[in-house]
Amino acid sequence: NLQKLCEFGNVNLILAYAVKIVMDEKTGNEERGGWVICSNGQRIKFDVLSINAGISPSLPISAVNKDNVKTEQETTAMANKIDLITPVKPISTFSSRYEALCDRLHETRELYNEENPFRLLVVGGGAGGIELALSAQYALQRILLGYIDEQGNEVKPNTNTKQTKDVAPLKVTIVTKGSALLTSHNTKVQRILTRILRKRNVDICYETEAK
């Protein structure tokens, strides 16, 4: 409960959005602060203003040649390609898109094998990207191996099937524009997580920017 959390921390919670920021005209020096005008008419004085609006990454439409789309068939193909991209933010839509991915994998898992694995590409070498890569790898492996049914229930492995080893046809890759993972963390943490990723057979592409 956000209201109770704010009360506990002695923080004012205002359910409105900022419509205007006005710097202090008396001093003419923006370092002396100003006012935030809210949608409910409230004026809030500040000395230092922190703007934390969150981010919602734009889907890279250009990557699927939007400018070259001319026919209805090409438009449908472009939409299908975009649907394969699952941004984590806003988090409100990530859950449903991830569930749709799992459902699709349940339906198509027989199409994947050692020569043609299911490929998951995670863009971002920070803590969030690594957490997503490792947790998704674990969950998608279990779907590909048939250990989880479409309702999310555990399924006892069938030892009579050809695929009895816990090796799923899945390839996970992390892409980061940095020369190392977790650049905001100390080197010991970087080494530990890099070692874990290698042990889990996660590929890492350094100094690579997704466009």
Side-chain angles (χ1 to χ4, degrees):
N1 187 301
L2 183 58
Q3 179 67 55
K4 291 183 178 180
L5 181 62
C6 290
E7 291 174 355
F8 177 80
N10 195 28
V11 175
N12 291 329
L13 174 63
I14 300 173
L15 300 178
Y17 57 88
V19 295
K20 191 175 183 180
I21 299 174
V22 181
M23 305 312 297
D24 195 335
E25 297 179 354
K26 293 183 179 179
T27 63
N29 185 348
E30 60 183 31
E31 294 183 358
R32 295 294 300 273
W35 303 83
V36 172
I37 312 302
C38 297
S39 57
N40 60 1
Q42 189 171 357
R43 293 169 56 92
I44 304 173
K45 182 75 173 69
F46 68 84
D47 292 306
V48 176
L49 175 63
S50 175
I51 300 177
N52 305 282
I55 60 171
S56 297
S58 300
L59 293 179
I61 305 299
S62 59
V64 291
N65 299 318
K66 180 183 177 183
D67 294 337
N68 296 330
V69 173
K70 298 178 181 179
T71 67
E72 182 177 349
Q73 183 179 3
E74 289 175 327
T75 302
T76 302
M78 183 186 73
N80 290 337
K81 289 180 180 180
I82 295 174
D83 192 50
L84 296 177
I85 302 172
T86 304
V88 175
K89 296 182 180 181
I91 195 66
S92 58
T93 62
F94 173 73
S95 178
S96 60
R97 292 179 69 91
Y98 181 73
E99 289 177 1
L101 167 64
C102 292
D103 291 341
R104 185 165 64 246
L105 192 56
H106 274 293
E107 297 173 357
T108 60
R109 68 186 182 90
E110 299 297 336
L111 300 177
Y112 302 102
N113 50 52
E114 186 177 352
E115 291 73 28
N116 180 40
F118 182 85
R119 294 175 173 85
L120 173 66
L121 177 64
V122 177
V123 178
I130 293 175
E131 180 182 3
L132 176 61
L134 291 175
S135 58
Q137 182 192 51
Y138 176 79
L140 299 181
Q141 277 179 338
R142 295 177 66 77
I143 294 176
L144 287 164
L145 292 170
Y147 294 170
I148 301 292
D149 63 19
E150 295 183 10
Q151 285 71 44
N153 301 315
E154 295 278 347
V155 176
K156 186 177 181 180
N158 184 359
T159 56
N160 295 323
T161 59
K162 294 181 180 180
Q163 195 172 30
T164 57
K165 298 186 297 182
D166 291 332
V167 179
L170 173 66
K171 192 61 184 174
V172 179
T173 302
I174 294 177
V175 171
T176 176
K177 64 181 180 180
S179 58
L181 299 174
L182 298 164
T183 53
S184 62
H185 294 67
N186 62 58
T187 55
K188 182 178 180 180
V189 173
Q190 293 175 3
R191 289 196 300 269
I192 292 173
L193 267 298
T194 300
R195 184 169 64 247
I196 291 174
L197 290 168
R198 288 174 178 168
K199 186 177 181 180
R200 293 277 293 268
N201 295 317
V202 175
D203 288 342
I204 306 171
C205 296
Y206 296 104
E207 298 180 340
T208 304
E209 187 172 357
K211 296 182 179 180

